[in-house]
Amino acid sequence: MSGRVVLVTGGNRGIGRACAEAFRDAGHRAAITCRGDDPGIPGVLAVRCDVTDTAAVDAAFATVEAELGPVEVLVSNAGITRDGLVVRMSDDDFTAVLDANLTGGFRVARRAVKTMMKARWGRIVFISSVVGQVGQAGQANYAASKAGLAGMARSLAREFASRSITVNVVAPGPIATDMTDALNDAQRAAIGENVPAGRFGTAEEVAAAVTFLASDAAAFITGIVLPVDGGLTMGA
């Protein structure tokens, strides 16, 4: 796989940024979407986009197409959290998370497959979470959105397999990012104790899984959920 056009949504930091940098370093033309200012990643095109807005998604793809060419690899990573126990969670807290994390993934995938079908080649990777498999107190909305990605990905995988378009899901476990940096030492230790590998993963380790699923070597892999979690969900 050489010189593909790659778009990573929510690529301004963390896992999304690591994915964009990994593709760039492998010689691909990488772009990211972000809701705020351009994070200034060298060699990566940044486009403003809110994945909850269909018009914004269309405009972002149009910009990438004009600057780099049709999107051949899509990494759907953009998402939000609004944590809280169910008895205190509002309808808006629930639906907003599903709109960004699940419906947002649908919007960008729907736009991406239009050109992938014409090219008869494409890779779509959704970034989910182990929370979508095992649940988490205070994250019913987030868990539902991440679990939904698996069903959607498998449906898309069946729809587009004949066009050489693969659709897969990567489900990270505890990963060292800005969000986990906010935890105190006791919280990090408690999480780490549940991971057989005994540590947090890195964003680069998630990116390695993503770049593999986007490669020619993974052409016969579609519709899977790949945990990158140090063994946390083995057998789940």
Side-chain angles (χ1 to χ4, degrees):
M1 189 181 75
S2 127
R4 299 287 188 186
V5 176
V6 181
L7 176 60
V8 182
T9 67
N12 58 310
R13 61 179 181 173
I15 290 171
R17 179 169 183 149
C19 289
E21 291 175 334
F23 280 110
R24 175 204 62 196
D25 293 347
H28 304 297
R29 289 163 284 166
I32 62 166
T33 70
C34 52
R35 290 191 297 172
D37 294 333
D38 182 347
I41 307 173
V44 175
L45 173 68
V47 181
R48 278 201 178 195
C49 179
D50 181 348
V51 297
T52 66
D53 182 338
T54 298
V57 168
D58 288 339
F61 271 81
T63 299
V64 173
E65 289 165 351
E67 295 285 336
L68 304 179
V71 173
E72 298 166 284
V73 177
L74 170 68
V75 181
S76 178
N77 171 72
I80 63 171
T81 58
R82 287 193 187 179
D83 296 350
L85 297 176
V86 166
V87 293
R88 299 192 184 103
M89 186 176 290
S90 68
D91 286 1
D92 184 59
D93 287 338
F94 191 87
T95 57
V97 170
L98 261 70
D99 191 24
N101 299 3
L102 179 56
T103 313
F106 162 75
R107 291 186 185 98
V108 295
R110 179 180 59 186
R111 180 60 175 77
V113 295
K114 292 180 179 180
T115 52
M116 291 178 181
M117 288 177 67
K118 292 177 182 178
R120 301 190 71 85
W121 195 96
R123 299 286 187 266
I124 298 175
V125 181
F126 293 103
I127 305 299
S128 180
S129 167
V130 295
V131 172
Q133 295 172 262
V134 300
Q136 177 66 41
Q139 289 194 315
N141 49 4
Y142 184 76
S145 70
K146 294 301 187 179
L149 289 173
M152 181 168 69
R154 285 167 175 158
S155 297
L156 297 182
R158 291 183 182 276
E159 286 189 33
F160 301 114
S162 65
R163 299 295 184 98
S164 298
I165 299 170
T166 67
V167 187
N168 292 295
V169 178
V170 170
I175 303 298
T177 62
D178 292 345
M179 291 176 65
T180 56
D181 287 345
L183 301 174
N184 60 43
D185 291 342
Q187 289 171 319
R188 280 194 292 269
I191 294 171
E193 286 174 2
N194 291 321
V195 180
R199 64 175 178 86
F200 280 53
T202 68
E204 289 73 22
E205 288 172 320
V206 179
V210 172
T211 54
F212 168 69
L213 289 174
S215 71
D216 289 331
F220 202 53
I221 301 173
T222 194
I224 70 159
V225 177
L226 176 61
V228 182
D229 62 5
L232 182 63
T233 61
M234 65 174 77

